[in-house]
Amino acid sequence: MSEIVYLNGEFMPLENARVPVLDRGFIFGDGVYEVIPVYSRRPFRMPEHLARFRRSHDAIRLDYPLSDPEWTRLVHELIQRHGADDQSIYLQVTRGVAKRDHAFPKDAVPTVFAMSSPLSTPTREAIENGVSTVSAVDYRWQRCDIKSTSLLANCLLRQVAADSGATEVVMFRDGFLTEGSSSNVFTVRNGTILAPPKDHRVLPGITYDVVLELANNNGLPCEVRPVSEQEVRSADEIWVTSSTKEVLAVTTLDGKVVGTGRPGPVFRRIHQLYQEFKRTIMRQAA
Ligand code: PDD
């Protein structure tokens, strides 16, 4: 049976979903998106994801086409129509179809698209052994806080990692840590978790917030402040976080071992807390 997706008010099989070539999402990457993980058929941190989605719309001066209750109903409908218990919901809104002109069209109707895929969380191997990364200069634009579908730089940077068999790229701008191509990056030094502040240089990750909350609630020291490249390169631990990666330990950076070369003790604690937190949410859903 074909996957059912949502496009502009209708549910339909994926292969029937079509967008005109003049859609500004296709022509300019003029759109915003969200990825929401679903555990045991329950969306994780939905209000926070929707709040970020609304901020992305505001930031690119795009009308928020559905209300939060309407998005919530749509997400639940997709979850019901999909077979898997754990899913990844993708929402995308573009500025709609119009004659090609960089300036905003006067009366284009936003294109609204949503789909669900099975959630593929990291393998046991990745959790137990960690993943490899390579570094890169972060040459993206100055509004990385917007979850925009214009992801060419992120794709180019991820491919740098893929070309060398690495899982993710760790980026630096002006000598300071920013993030990965599709994840936030944490480090641990002398037992303290360090995270770059949520400013225009990084996406304000929902998983980033969960990790800091879990750390704070469980007495793990953390500091949110600029983290220098040198601090990252000599860190005891490095982690990447995202809705699909959850929390993963980085065990090599540019072929050089991070810490002991194994996922560290602070990672193991935070990973355990994250899994417990998810289980609590699943129990509430039952
Ligand atoms: N990416 N930074 C970037 C550039 C991202 O694209 C993402 C998420 C994150 C982590 O955000 P969150 O914890 O809210 O998932 C940070 C999603 C998963 C994607 O593009 O598929």
Side-chain angles (χ1 to χ4, degrees):
M1 206 185 68
S2 162
E3 195 182 318
I4 298 298
V5 303
Y6 171 96
L7 181 63
N8 295 331
E10 280 178 52
F11 289 92
M12 61 188 76
L14 175 62
E15 63 270 19
N16 293 357
R18 296 272 183 279
V19 179
V21 289
L22 285 183
D23 192 283
R24 288 176 63 98
F26 181 61
I27 296 283
F28 293 122
D30 185 359
V32 289
Y33 77 106
E34 265 305 319
V35 177
I36 309 172
V38 171
Y39 298 110
S40 301
R41 298 188 166 265
R42 197 182 161 96
F44 184 72
R45 295 253 152 161
M46 177 103 112
E48 290 81 357
H49 278 280
L50 290 181
R52 183 174 67 185
F53 202 27
R54 185 188 282 272
R55 284 200 306 275
S56 295
H57 281 77
D58 291 346
I60 71 160
R61 297 163 60 189
L62 177 60
D63 287 342
Y64 194 57
L66 303 186
S67 65
D68 280 357
E70 285 170 331
W71 283 118
T72 304
R73 269 201 301 281
L74 168 52
V75 166
H76 282 285
E77 174 94 45
L78 280 172
I79 294 172
Q80 292 320 316
R81 285 172 181 263
H82 200 277
D85 282 348
D86 294 351
Q87 304 176 27
S88 166
I89 300 282
Y90 179 84
L91 308 176
Q92 173 173 327
V93 178
T94 76
R95 208 179 303 276
V97 181
K99 181 174 163 293
R100 185 177 182 278
D101 179 358
H102 290 63
F104 297 168
K106 291 244 167 357
D107 36 39
V109 179
T111 300
V112 180
F113 174 64
M115 66 177 172
S116 179
S117 319
L119 180 68
S120 58
T121 45
T123 60
R124 182 117 307 273
E125 207 274 325
I127 295 163
E128 280 169 10
N129 296 328
V131 296
S132 58
T133 57
V134 293
S135 66
V137 170
D138 190 345
Y139 54 69
R140 298 174 303 161
W141 66 334
Q142 297 285 347
R143 290 305 307 272
C144 296
D145 53 317
I146 302 172
K147 203 161 172 61
S148 158
T149 57
S150 305
L151 288 173
L152 177 58
N154 301 61
C155 294
L156 289 169
L157 287 156
R158 169 67 72 80
Q159 192 56 36
V160 171
D163 286 344
S164 58
T167 298
E168 182 53 300
V169 66
V170 171
M171 296 191 280
F172 299 100
R173 192 184 282 239
D174 303 327
F176 287 90
L177 172 66
T178 56
E179 59 179 346
S181 68
S182 61
S183 52
N184 292 107
V185 179
F186 288 75
T187 57
V188 178
R189 290 176 61 86
N190 305 320
T192 299
I193 301 166
L194 303 178
K198 291 195 288 184
D199 60 19
H200 64 282
R201 285 171 279 227
V202 297
L203 187 81
I206 306 298
T207 320
Y208 166 109
D209 283 342
V210 174
V211 164
L212 285 180
E213 271 171 46
L214 290 173
N216 282 321
N217 294 342
N218 290 278
L220 304 178
C222 40
E223 286 174 25
V224 174
R225 61 157 173 84
V227 183
S228 74
E229 179 166 348
Q230 183 272 327
E231 285 179 303
V232 176
R233 292 195 182 278
S234 58
D236 301 320
E237 299 185 26
I238 303 177
W239 319 330
V240 288
T241 69
S242 81
S243 293
T244 46
K245 292 190 187 75
E246 302 184 339
V247 192
L248 266 185
V250 168
T251 40
T252 66
L253 173 61
D254 293 334
K256 191 169 162 283
V257 156
V258 176
T260 62
R262 304 287 308 159
V266 190
F267 165 77
R268 288 202 302 275
R269 179 80 180 117
I270 210 82
H271 186 264
Q272 178 199 18
L273 289 168
Y274 198 89
Q275 298 309 315
E276 279 169 14
F277 185 66
K278 268 169 49 183
R279 277 197 289 277
T280 310
I281 282 168
M282 289 177 206
R283 269 200 299 278
Q284 286 166 359

